[in-house]
Structures are given as C-alpha cells and as structure tokens.
C-alpha cells in the first residue's frame, strides 16, 4: 500500500472543503434535475429500505404515466441527512419536513425579472376589493387535502399508505386541470400536510392569524368548514397588526368575517396598542372598540 503524500493543515482543510462541495453539488443535481413526478419526490420519505424504495418507484411510474411531471424544488436542505441511517430512521431525518415547491424554469425567472423592472401603475383602493371565492375557489380541486378516514385498529403503515395514495390523487387532479403556470406555489411535501392534520386533530381551539391589511388573502373558507363542520371545533381568527390601519377598517373587517362565517370568533390584536401607524399615541376612545369585545365576540 503506497504511503500517503504528506500535506499541511491548510491543504488538508482545502481538500475537505472541496470534497464537501462536490457532495453537495451531486445532491442538488439529483434533487433538481430530470423530469420527476411529485410522487417520486415523496416516496423515499415513506420507505424504510432501499428495496422498498426501488419497488415503490416502479409502481409510481406505472400509476403516473399520464400525469404531468413538474420539477420540485426542495428548500432548506440539511447536509448529512442523505445517509442510509437517516433514511431508515425517519424521526431523525432533518429533511423530512423541508419545503417542496415547484421549480421555476430559467425562462420563467427571467420573465419575472423583466416584469419587475417595468414601471408600475398606481391602482385605486377599489382594486384591493376581492371576493374570497375568487381567491380560494371552494369546492374545486384546489381545496386543501383532507386526511383519509382511519381508526385505531390500523397499523402505522396502513395509515401512511392511505395518506400517500390520497395525496397522490390530490396532486394528480390539480395538474390534470391546471397547467403549472396557472398555479401559485403550494406545498408538495406530504409531511407538511400531515403536521396540519395532526395539529387540528389534537387541538381543542384553533387560532388562525391574519394580517389586518388584507385578511381575505390569509383566511381559507375551506379550512374554516373543515375545522367547524368536519372536526366540530372552534376557530378563532386573530386579526393582527391593527395599529397599522384605521380603527374603522379593523371594525369593518371584524364585522365582515362575523357576518359571513357565523361560527367564527374574531379577536383584534396589536403589539403596540397605544400607537398608530405613524407612531403617534392613540386616544383611549379610538382603542376602545378594538381592544374590548362583547357578546359572541368575547373569546378570552
């Protein structure tokens, strides 16, 4: 066996850095290149061995041959999580909950850059008026995925397999009806939705925080129906940052949500109750209708 060539500490450090960079480039290339389906991106998360992984990949390719195959961008990749031990021990895999979004093409990125450099037109305030139905399209394939029925007699593998099959159909229905350029970013990682399902099931009261400057964009009617109708639980909408808007606008938003969603509780909140958006002190009279509620609005 030939003797190793002696090297200084600085050279050894440079070798280790180059080796780490090479491994990182290989992981990124395997993650972001090639026409992979969204299910192919998820299946390794559900498998405990390389043999099962290979089998599932073959089954997925057969089931999704007619499905569009968007490229998926995996955000917040943690180094060291690609080892065989990390794959087999799911609970210790830091990449299990990383975000999965559709990867934009270079042409799309360049187009958005060109649009951002164009002069913009100041629109009237009426342009901010939108309907919740126009934003969320309740009743369509764009609704949130709901956890399939389960019971305590099922094994962990049976429950996860049903969730995986449901989520595969959910994504397939979306891409069958909409082209990728028609969609905004949404989560492709099944583990993220599993966290939502578990939290909703374990909670007694669900709090949904929305920015008071445009809460219609942050409040999902489908989530409201799921929590109130399906799970039979209370949902509290927290209108945050009310110090940034006029008191009349905050009251108008509160009354709007209470009238449109009768089982909803609304709370107005601010971290700076004594200041307005200009930094000036508010009077106690202007604070009163926002910080004090009565009747059905009183939650805490």
């Amino acid at each position: 066996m030939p003797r190793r060539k002696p090297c200084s500490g600085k050279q050894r450090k440079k070798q280790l850095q180059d080796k780490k960079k090479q491994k990182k480039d290989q992981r990124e290339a395997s993650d972001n290149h090639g026409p992979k389906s969204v299910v192919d991106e998820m299946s390794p998360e559900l498998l405990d061995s390389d043999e099962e992984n290979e089998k599932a990949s073959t089954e997925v390719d057969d089931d999704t041959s007619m499905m569009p195959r968007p490229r998926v961008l995996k955000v917040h990749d943690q180094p060291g999580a690609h080892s065989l031990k990390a794959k087999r021990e799911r609970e210790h895999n830091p990449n299990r909950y990383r975000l999965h979004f559709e990867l934009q093409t270079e042409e799309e990125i360049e187009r958005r850059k060109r649009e951002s450099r164009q002069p913009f037109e100041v629109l009237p305030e009426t342009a901010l008026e939108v309907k919740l139905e126009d934003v969320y399209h309740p009743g369509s394939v764009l609704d949130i995925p709901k956890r399939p029925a389960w019971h305590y007699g099922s094994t962990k593998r049976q429950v996860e397999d049903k969730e995986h099959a449901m989520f595969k159909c959910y994504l397939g229905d979306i891409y069958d009806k909409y082209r990728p350029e028609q969609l905004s970013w949404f989560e492709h990682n099944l583990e993220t939705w599993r966290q939502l399902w578990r939290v909703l099931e374990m909670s007694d009261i669900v709090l949904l925080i929305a920015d008071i400057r445009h809460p219609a964009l942050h409040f999902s009617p489908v989530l409201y129906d799921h929590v109130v109708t399906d799970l039979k639980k209370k949902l509290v909408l927290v209108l945050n940052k009310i110090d940034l808007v006029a008191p009349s606008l905050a009251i108008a938003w509160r009354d709007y949500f209470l009238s449109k969603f009768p089982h909803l509780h609304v709370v107005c909140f601010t971290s700076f109750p004594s200041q307005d958006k200009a930094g000036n002190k508010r009077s106690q009279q202007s604070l009163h209708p926002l910080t004090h509620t009565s009747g059905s609005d009183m939650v805490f």
Side-chain angles (χ1 to χ4, degrees), residues 46-111:
L46 300 173
L47 301 173
D48 297 328
S49 66
D50 294 337
E51 292 79 10
E52 291 178 325
N53 191 359
E54 183 178 357
K55 179 181 178 182
S57 298
T58 304
E59 295 174 353
V60 167
D61 290 338
D62 293 339
D63 294 341
T64 60
S65 58
M66 301 302 294
M67 185 188 303
R69 295 173 177 265
R71 298 168 62 189
V72 175
L73 172 65
K74 298 180 180 181
V75 186
H76 306 311
D77 181 41
Q78 299 297 319
H82 299 269
S83 63
L84 182 61
K85 181 179 178 181
K87 290 181 179 179
R88 291 180 175 176
E89 299 178 2
R90 278 183 43 194
E91 61 274 15
H92 300 300
N93 184 2
N95 285 327
R96 178 182 175 188
Y97 302 108
R98 63 178 175 176
L99 305 178
H100 291 188
F101 296 116
E102 185 178 342
L103 181 64
Q104 292 182 322
T105 62
E106 293 295 335
E107 293 77 8
E108 178 69 14
I109 295 176
E110 291 299 325
R111 184 184 65 82

Side-chain angles (χ1 to χ4, degrees), residues 52-199:
E52 291 178 325
N53 191 359
E54 183 178 357
K55 179 181 178 182
S57 298
T58 304
E59 295 174 353
V60 167
D61 290 338
D62 293 339
D63 294 341
T64 60
S65 58
M66 301 302 294
M67 185 188 303
R69 295 173 177 265
R71 298 168 62 189
V72 175
L73 172 65
K74 298 180 180 181
V75 186
H76 306 311
D77 181 41
Q78 299 297 319
H82 299 269
S83 63
L84 182 61
K85 181 179 178 181
K87 290 181 179 179
R88 291 180 175 176
E89 299 178 2
R90 278 183 43 194
E91 61 274 15
H92 300 300
N93 184 2
N95 285 327
R96 178 182 175 188
Y97 302 108
R98 63 178 175 176
L99 305 178
H100 291 188
F101 296 116
E102 185 178 342
L103 181 64
Q104 292 182 322
T105 62
E106 293 295 335
E107 293 77 8
E108 178 69 14
I109 295 176
E110 291 299 325
R111 184 184 65 82
R112 292 180 181 273
K113 288 182 180 180
R114 290 194 299 270
E115 292 180 352
S116 66
R117 293 190 288 266
Q118 298 298 322
F120 62 88
E121 178 185 357
V122 179
L123 300 177
E125 291 188 359
T126 54
L128 297 176
E129 300 176 1
V130 296
K131 294 182 179 179
L132 289 174
E133 294 77 11
D134 296 337
V135 177
Y136 291 98
H137 302 283
S140 67
V141 295
L142 299 178
D143 288 350
I144 62 173
K146 298 180 181 180
R147 188 182 187 186
W150 64 278
H151 56 84
Y152 287 100
S154 303
T155 65
K156 178 182 178 182
R157 171 62 64 181
Q158 291 173 340
V159 173
E160 291 184 342
D161 287 346
K162 289 182 64 175
E163 293 173 350
H164 180 261
M166 181 280 303
F167 193 64
K168 181 173 66 173
C169 294
Y170 169 77
L171 294 177
D173 293 340
I174 291 178
Y175 284 105
D176 284 342
K177 189 170 183 179
Y178 296 95
R179 297 190 304 275
E181 58 270 17
Q182 294 178 296
L183 301 169
S184 60
W185 279 19
F186 69 97
E187 183 56 70
H188 289 66
N189 189 356
L190 174 59
E191 292 296 339
T192 301
W193 293 104
R194 280 177 171 157
Q195 293 303 301
L196 175 64
W197 298 337
R198 270 63 165 177
V199 169

